[in-house]
Amino acid sequence: MSDQAKDERAPEEIEASQASGERAEGGVDGDYEALVRLLKENEELKDRALRIAAEMENLRRRTARDVHDARTYAVANFARDMLSVSDNLRRALDAIPAEAKASGDAGFKALIEGVDLTERAMLSALERHGVKKLAPEGEKFDPNFHQAMFEVPNTDVPAGTVVQVVQPGYSIGDRVLRPAMVGVSKGGPKAAAEAPVEPGPVNEQAEKDA
């Protein structure tokens, strides 16, 4: 179309052409804004999904830990009550005079063996449920599992060594049911400091599971 023909167009045609161009330009801007909005919404949804996944993983770990603790420590209160029964059986055996044990009376000997067997059976049953006896004589005093009742002067062993167990203790899992009541040495050389634990190689699978 020549310039003269363009100039000869009616004003209405010129306005319509300009409006059509403006609509086309506005349509492009609108599509761009919609795309930006959709991308932003997509990022928000992805972030929300990641947070939900992390929360679910934390919940799974907490649940697994709670189930493990419930299985391990469910009998803790019952086991603690049974310790007094075991103590009484041991006291009964310790209270029997040596002369009576050596008397050779068949009935009395059978009674002693029965009480001893009952005590061992009870301790064995507790051990099957994760309860362990603490008899730490000769070990380093550990305030987490031992209760010091008195000190014993002894220069032959390092200070802070358990040299006498007044009453055995018991633990279940990594928890103490009853601390062992002990006598601790004093006056000896200081115990050698434990060597620092060197970190081992990184376990990548453990890092992923953590």
Side-chain angles (χ1 to χ4, degrees), residues 72-99:
T72 302
Y73 304 113
V75 298
N77 290 333
F78 173 76
R80 190 178 292 108
D81 291 339
M82 289 298 99
L83 296 183
S84 60
V85 179
S86 177
D87 291 340
N88 289 333
L89 291 173
R90 175 44 48 187
R91 292 190 188 101
L93 292 171
D94 293 341
I96 301 173
E99 307 82 45

Short mmCIF file of all heavy atoms in Angstrom, two decimals, residues 72-99:
data_model
loop_
_atom_site.label_atom_id
_atom_site.label_comp_id
_atom_site.label_asym_id
_atom_site.label_seq_id
_atom_site.Cartn_x
_atom_site.Cartn_y
_atom_site.Cartn_z
N THR A 72 11.98 -51.76 74.72
CA THR A 72 13.14 -51.97 75.58
C THR A 72 12.82 -51.73 77.05
O THR A 72 13.25 -52.49 77.93
CB THR A 72 14.29 -51.04 75.16
OG1 THR A 72 14.61 -51.29 73.78
CG2 THR A 72 15.53 -51.27 76.00
N TYR A 73 12.03 -50.69 77.34
CA TYR A 73 11.84 -50.26 78.72
C TYR A 73 10.45 -50.55 79.26
O TYR A 73 10.11 -50.08 80.36
CB TYR A 73 12.14 -48.77 78.83
CG TYR A 73 13.53 -48.41 78.34
CD1 TYR A 73 13.70 -47.64 77.20
CD2 TYR A 73 14.66 -48.87 79.00
CE1 TYR A 73 14.97 -47.32 76.74
CE2 TYR A 73 15.93 -48.56 78.55
CZ TYR A 73 16.08 -47.79 77.42
OH TYR A 73 17.34 -47.48 76.96
N ALA A 74 9.65 -51.31 78.52
CA ALA A 74 8.28 -51.57 78.98
C ALA A 74 8.26 -52.31 80.31
O ALA A 74 7.35 -52.11 81.13
CB ALA A 74 7.52 -52.36 77.92
N VAL A 75 9.25 -53.17 80.54
CA VAL A 75 9.25 -53.98 81.77
C VAL A 75 10.07 -53.33 82.88
O VAL A 75 10.32 -53.96 83.91
CB VAL A 75 9.81 -55.39 81.48
CG1 VAL A 75 8.94 -56.11 80.47
CG2 VAL A 75 11.25 -55.32 81.01
N ALA A 76 10.49 -52.08 82.68
CA ALA A 76 11.39 -51.45 83.65
C ALA A 76 10.78 -51.40 85.04
O ALA A 76 11.44 -51.78 86.03
CB ALA A 76 11.77 -50.05 83.18
N ASN A 77 9.55 -50.94 85.16
CA ASN A 77 8.94 -50.83 86.49
C ASN A 77 8.75 -52.20 87.13
O ASN A 77 9.00 -52.40 88.33
CB ASN A 77 7.60 -50.10 86.39
CG ASN A 77 7.76 -48.64 86.05
OD1 ASN A 77 8.79 -48.03 86.35
ND2 ASN A 77 6.76 -48.06 85.41
N PHE A 78 8.30 -53.17 86.33
CA PHE A 78 8.11 -54.52 86.85
C PHE A 78 9.45 -55.11 87.30
O PHE A 78 9.56 -55.71 88.37
CB PHE A 78 7.48 -55.40 85.78
CG PHE A 78 7.38 -56.85 86.16
CD1 PHE A 78 6.43 -57.29 87.05
CD2 PHE A 78 8.27 -57.78 85.62
CE1 PHE A 78 6.35 -58.62 87.41
CE2 PHE A 78 8.19 -59.12 85.97
CZ PHE A 78 7.23 -59.54 86.86
N ALA A 79 10.48 -54.92 86.45
CA ALA A 79 11.80 -55.46 86.78
C ALA A 79 12.34 -54.83 88.06
O ALA A 79 12.94 -55.51 88.90
CB ALA A 79 12.76 -55.20 85.62
N ARG A 80 12.12 -53.53 88.23
CA ARG A 80 12.60 -52.84 89.44
C ARG A 80 11.93 -53.43 90.69
O ARG A 80 12.58 -53.59 91.73
CB ARG A 80 12.32 -51.34 89.32
CG ARG A 80 12.99 -50.51 90.40
CD ARG A 80 12.73 -49.03 90.21
NE ARG A 80 13.39 -48.50 89.03
CZ ARG A 80 12.76 -48.15 87.91
NH1 ARG A 80 11.43 -48.26 87.82
NH2 ARG A 80 13.43 -47.67 86.88
N ASP A 81 10.64 -53.77 90.58
CA ASP A 81 9.95 -54.37 91.72
C ASP A 81 10.47 -55.77 92.01
O ASP A 81 10.54 -56.19 93.18
CB ASP A 81 8.45 -54.43 91.45
CG ASP A 81 7.79 -53.06 91.43
OD1 ASP A 81 8.39 -52.12 92.01
OD2 ASP A 81 6.71 -52.92 90.84
N MET A 82 10.87 -56.49 90.96
CA MET A 82 11.37 -57.85 91.15
C MET A 82 12.75 -57.89 91.78
O MET A 82 13.17 -58.90 92.32
CB MET A 82 11.39 -58.59 89.82
CG MET A 82 10.02 -58.95 89.26
SD MET A 82 9.08 -60.07 90.36
CE MET A 82 7.98 -58.89 91.20
N LEU A 83 13.47 -56.78 91.71
CA LEU A 83 14.81 -56.75 92.28
C LEU A 83 14.76 -56.98 93.80
O LEU A 83 15.65 -57.62 94.36
CB LEU A 83 15.50 -55.42 91.97
CG LEU A 83 15.77 -55.13 90.50
CD1 LEU A 83 16.52 -53.81 90.34
CD2 LEU A 83 16.56 -56.28 89.85
N SER A 84 13.75 -56.45 94.45
CA SER A 84 13.65 -56.64 95.90
C SER A 84 13.40 -58.11 96.23
O SER A 84 13.89 -58.62 97.25
CB SER A 84 12.51 -55.77 96.47
OG SER A 84 11.27 -56.12 95.87
N VAL A 85 12.66 -58.81 95.35
CA VAL A 85 12.44 -60.24 95.56
C VAL A 85 13.76 -60.99 95.44
O VAL A 85 14.09 -61.86 96.25
CB VAL A 85 11.41 -60.78 94.55
CG1 VAL A 85 11.20 -62.29 94.75
CG2 VAL A 85 10.08 -60.05 94.68
N SER A 86 14.54 -60.64 94.40
CA SER A 86 15.84 -61.27 94.22
C SER A 86 16.76 -60.98 95.40
O SER A 86 17.50 -61.87 95.87
CB SER A 86 16.48 -60.77 92.92
OG SER A 86 17.77 -61.30 92.75
N ASP A 87 16.71 -59.75 95.91
CA ASP A 87 17.53 -59.40 97.08
C ASP A 87 17.17 -60.26 98.28
O ASP A 87 18.04 -60.73 99.03
CB ASP A 87 17.35 -57.93 97.43
CG ASP A 87 17.97 -57.00 96.38
OD1 ASP A 87 18.84 -57.46 95.62
OD2 ASP A 87 17.56 -55.83 96.33
N ASN A 88 15.87 -60.47 98.50
CA ASN A 88 15.44 -61.27 99.65
C ASN A 88 15.87 -62.73 99.52
O ASN A 88 16.24 -63.37 100.52
CB ASN A 88 13.91 -61.19 99.80
CG ASN A 88 13.46 -59.81 100.27
OD1 ASN A 88 14.21 -59.10 100.94
ND2 ASN A 88 12.24 -59.43 99.91
N LEU A 89 15.83 -63.25 98.30
CA LEU A 89 16.31 -64.62 98.10
C LEU A 89 17.80 -64.72 98.42
O LEU A 89 18.25 -65.68 99.06
CB LEU A 89 16.05 -65.04 96.65
CG LEU A 89 14.59 -65.24 96.25
CD1 LEU A 89 14.47 -65.49 94.75
CD2 LEU A 89 13.97 -66.41 97.02
N ARG A 90 18.58 -63.72 97.99
CA ARG A 90 20.01 -63.72 98.27
C ARG A 90 20.26 -63.58 99.77
O ARG A 90 21.14 -64.24 100.34
CB ARG A 90 20.67 -62.59 97.48
CG ARG A 90 22.14 -62.35 97.74
CD ARG A 90 22.99 -63.60 97.80
NE ARG A 90 22.77 -64.52 96.70
CZ ARG A 90 23.32 -65.73 96.62
NH1 ARG A 90 24.10 -66.16 97.62
NH2 ARG A 90 23.08 -66.52 95.61
N ARG A 91 19.49 -62.72 100.43
CA ARG A 91 19.66 -62.55 101.88
C ARG A 91 19.35 -63.85 102.62
O ARG A 91 20.01 -64.21 103.61
CB ARG A 91 18.75 -61.43 102.39
CG ARG A 91 19.13 -60.04 101.92
CD ARG A 91 18.34 -58.97 102.65
NE ARG A 91 18.57 -57.65 102.08
CZ ARG A 91 17.74 -57.04 101.25
NH1 ARG A 91 16.60 -57.63 100.87
NH2 ARG A 91 18.02 -55.84 100.77
N ALA A 92 18.33 -64.55 102.14
CA ALA A 92 17.98 -65.83 102.76
C ALA A 92 19.13 -66.83 102.64
O ALA A 92 19.46 -67.55 103.60
CB ALA A 92 16.72 -66.39 102.12
N LEU A 93 19.76 -66.87 101.47
CA LEU A 93 20.89 -67.77 101.29
C LEU A 93 22.09 -67.36 102.12
O LEU A 93 22.77 -68.21 102.72
CB LEU A 93 21.28 -67.81 99.80
CG LEU A 93 20.26 -68.47 98.85
CD1 LEU A 93 20.67 -68.25 97.40
CD2 LEU A 93 20.15 -69.96 99.14
N ASP A 94 22.35 -66.04 102.19
CA ASP A 94 23.50 -65.57 102.95
C ASP A 94 23.31 -65.74 104.46
O ASP A 94 24.30 -65.80 105.22
CB ASP A 94 23.77 -64.10 102.63
CG ASP A 94 24.25 -63.89 101.20
OD1 ASP A 94 24.71 -64.88 100.58
OD2 ASP A 94 24.15 -62.75 100.71
N ALA A 95 22.05 -65.81 104.89
CA ALA A 95 21.77 -65.92 106.33
C ALA A 95 21.93 -67.34 106.85
O ALA A 95 21.93 -67.55 108.08
CB ALA A 95 20.35 -65.41 106.62
N ILE A 96 22.07 -68.31 105.97
CA ILE A 96 22.21 -69.70 106.43
C ILE A 96 23.62 -69.92 106.99
O ILE A 96 24.61 -69.66 106.30
CB ILE A 96 21.96 -70.67 105.25
CG1 ILE A 96 20.54 -70.45 104.69
CG2 ILE A 96 22.15 -72.11 105.70
CD1 ILE A 96 20.27 -71.25 103.43
N PRO A 97 23.74 -70.34 108.21
CA PRO A 97 25.07 -70.56 108.81
C PRO A 97 25.85 -71.63 108.06
O PRO A 97 25.28 -72.57 107.49
CB PRO A 97 24.74 -71.03 110.24
CG PRO A 97 23.34 -70.58 110.49
CD PRO A 97 22.65 -70.62 109.17
N ALA A 98 27.14 -71.46 108.04
CA ALA A 98 28.00 -72.43 107.33
C ALA A 98 27.86 -73.82 107.94
O ALA A 98 27.92 -74.84 107.23
CB ALA A 98 29.45 -71.96 107.39
N GLU A 99 27.65 -73.91 109.28
CA GLU A 99 27.50 -75.22 109.91
C GLU A 99 26.27 -75.95 109.40
O GLU A 99 26.27 -77.16 109.21
CB GLU A 99 27.41 -75.07 111.44
CG GLU A 99 28.54 -74.27 112.08
CD GLU A 99 28.33 -72.78 111.99
OE1 GLU A 99 27.22 -72.28 112.25
OE2 GLU A 99 29.31 -72.11 111.61
#
